[in-house]
Amino acid sequence: MFPSQCGDNILRDNPLFRLIYDYASSLLPCWLSYVVAGVTIMLILINAVLLGAAIVSWMERRLLGRFQNRIGPNRWGPFGLLQPIADLFKLITKEDLIPAGADRIAFTLVPIIMVASLILMAAVIPFAKDTSLVDLNVGILYLLAISSLTSIALFTAGWASDNRYALFGTARSVAVLISYEVPVVLSLLGVVMIAGSMSLSSIVESQSIPFIVVQPLAFFVFLAGMSAELNRTPFDLAEAESEIIAGYHTEYSGIKFALIQAAEFGGVLVVSALITTLFLGGWSGPWEEYLGWVWFLVKTILVVAVFSWIRATFPRLRIDQIMAFSWKVMLPLSIINLVATTVEVYVFKSGGITTLELWIMGIINLVIAAACLPLFGRLMKYKARQSNPAVVSRVSRDGSTG
């Protein structure tokens, strides 16, 4: 069957799929062209995510070296660019061990689930106009549902490893994930209400002003919440080496460990792309019709650099501090932002929100953020002093402030 006889299909709106499909259908039957186009796009997506994870790992190690007055990786290739490839070969050649008492099937599925959930999330993120694999009208809901697979994977890793240290790390990780999921979801509600859609493409198109200006509290809550969900410093309690070795992946080695690390670094890239989409205007910029993907990439790299900056700056927190920060700071801030946004949308939404009204909302929300962040910071400091009076009195006797 030739192209003129081939009917439309559900992915014909995707330019990349249409290009591959039209070329393949000139040589193959329609059903086979459909399969070839789909498999090709999946291979492109998988390799893009894994290559992006390798680049992020190199970039972060170089940045951490600069932050800590070190050089960072510099032996393999120019500027150490081939270091991720060297690490991959090293891990591939290491023995793939499975504990004798482990659940072999569940133990093996964990790295697959972590990488698969990452790829599924990347599939709906548009890096330029009409470039996402599929533009779901429930894109935000889809991302939240897929991201919950990480909790299942972490729980399975600790439970299937037959290792108490891994189980302790899993318990901490899952507790943090569940606690921070609530404020993260609430922070996204403000973005959805202003855009009037859960489609990621529609959210980008509605940002005549980047939502980081209109929703500063939501941006702060989402950035901190995703740092916790990615097990990033200062929330990386699952890998407290002095207490529980390497946390949930203590028993993993070889290629399984490599996949888990790829999922962690790839998660930083995907979340950075998501932050770019939701708060930084996505592909918008000068000559976005031609350079949209360039602006998207530049913004994503900047967000990755911010994650590395945070990792190099803040120390690891205790588990009680992390949980208190979620329930006593993040949750109230997300509720305040949600209430303020609801009122603003109710006032301005009647005729559609204009650019001027977005600026007004941004000024109001910036004032609210400027008032709330220092206030909650002081409340947390006061609570810490009340809960540790002996420490505070000892510090005071020493003559230092605190």
Side-chain angles (χ1 to χ4, degrees):
M1 188 177 293
F2 294 96
S4 59
Q5 298 171 290
C6 292
D8 291 336
N9 53 70
I10 58 174
L11 294 176
R12 287 285 293 180
D13 290 337
N14 182 275
L16 180 59
F17 179 90
R18 185 167 60 248
L19 176 65
I20 300 172
Y21 179 82
D22 288 343
Y23 177 78
S25 61
S26 64
L27 305 172
L28 302 171
C30 283
W31 67 270
L32 188 55
S33 302
Y34 186 87
V35 173
V36 169
V39 170
T40 302
I41 287 181
M42 284 189 290
L43 290 175
I44 293 173
L45 184 62
I46 292 171
N47 285 280
V49 171
L50 295 179
L51 179 61
I55 294 173
V56 169
S57 70
W58 170 83
M59 174 181 171
E60 181 164 82
R61 293 164 72 179
R62 292 287 295 188
L63 285 175
L64 289 176
R66 294 299 181 183
F67 284 130
Q68 298 167 355
N69 198 25
R70 298 184 290 107
I71 297 176
N74 67 336
R75 297 293 182 183
W76 286 87
F79 306 104
L81 280 170
L82 298 180
Q83 186 63 49
I85 307 300
D87 292 338
L88 176 62
F89 277 110
K90 179 187 71 173
L91 291 171
I92 288 177
T93 56
K94 284 186 175 292
E95 187 176 2
D96 186 11
L97 299 174
I98 298 179
D103 186 322
R104 300 182 68 89
I105 297 177
F107 186 85
T108 304
L109 284 176
V110 169
I112 300 173
I113 294 173
M114 294 183 70
V115 174
S117 61
L118 193 67
I119 293 171
L120 289 173
M121 292 175 65
V124 299
I125 297 178
F127 58 88
K129 188 174 179 60
D130 298 326
T131 54
S132 60
L133 181 59
V134 57
D135 182 16
L136 297 176
N137 58 358
V138 289
I140 296 293
L141 187 61
Y142 169 84
L143 289 172
L144 292 174
I146 295 299
S147 64
S148 65
L149 291 175
T150 304
S151 303
I152 299 173
L154 297 187
F155 176 80
T156 305
W159 176 80
S161 295
D162 191 33
N163 182 298
R164 291 179 181 177
Y165 291 109
L167 192 59
F168 291 153
T170 290
R172 288 181 170 188
S173 297
V174 173
V176 170
L177 284 172
I178 293 174
S179 299
Y180 281 84
E181 189 74 20
V182 178
V184 164
V185 172
L186 291 178
S187 69
L188 291 179
L189 289 179
V191 174
V192 171
M193 284 193 297
I194 295 175
S197 173
M198 287 192 288
S199 166
L200 296 180
S201 296
S202 299
I203 290 174
V204 172
E205 292 170 353
S206 65
Q207 294 184 59
S208 54
I209 301 172
F211 281 172
I212 188 175
V213 177
V214 183
Q215 292 278 282
L217 270 182
F219 173 76
F220 170 78
V221 171
F222 189 81
L223 181 66
M226 294 311 297
S227 295
E229 295 199 16
L230 290 171
N231 192 33
R232 302 278 301 180
T233 304
F235 305 100
D236 56 337
L237 279 181
E239 298 183 35
E241 294 89 350
S242 60
E243 304 170 35
I244 51 177
I245 315 176
Y248 63 90
H249 57 66
T250 297
E251 295 291 350
Y252 283 89
S253 61
I255 190 62
K256 293 187 180 70
F257 180 79
L259 287 175
I260 291 175
Q261 292 300 305
E264 290 191 2
F265 283 109
V268 176
L269 179 64
V270 171
V271 169
S272 299
L274 187 58
I275 291 174
T276 298
T277 301
L278 296 176
F279 295 100
L280 302 181
W283 65 79
S284 60
W287 304 294
E288 60 186 42
E289 297 84 359
Y290 309 101
L291 300 178
W293 63 275
V294 175
W295 299 120
F296 186 90
L297 185 61
V298 169
K299 295 173 185 177
T300 301
I301 292 174
L302 288 176
V303 178
V304 172
V306 169
F307 275 117
S308 300
W309 185 14
I310 294 172
R311 178 178 177 178
T313 304
F314 293 99
R316 178 183 290 126
L317 301 177
R318 299 194 312 264
I319 182 65
D320 60 309
Q321 294 172 326
I322 289 179
M323 302 304 286
F325 183 70
S326 172
W327 296 110
K328 296 178 181 179
V329 177
M330 299 276 284
L331 182 60
L333 287 178
S334 61
I335 293 175
I336 291 171
N337 179 75
L338 180 61
V339 172
T341 304
T342 302
V343 174
E344 293 163 355
V345 170
Y346 178 78
V347 172
F348 294 123
K349 192 70 173 180
S350 57
I353 300 178
T354 63
T355 301
L356 176 60
E357 290 169 343
L358 284 177
W359 277 113
I360 296 173
M361 293 172 64
I363 293 172
I364 294 172
N365 291 333
L366 283 171
V367 172
I368 294 174
C372 288
L373 291 176
L375 173 63
F376 278 92
R378 290 181 178 273
L379 289 176
M380 287 294 290
K381 184 183 294 185
Y382 174 78
K383 184 65 177 178
R385 288 175 174 175
Q386 293 297 313
S387 60
N388 297 282
V391 175
V392 173
S393 62
R394 184 167 65 251
V395 172
S396 299
R397 287 197 302 271
D398 293 340
S400 58
T401 59

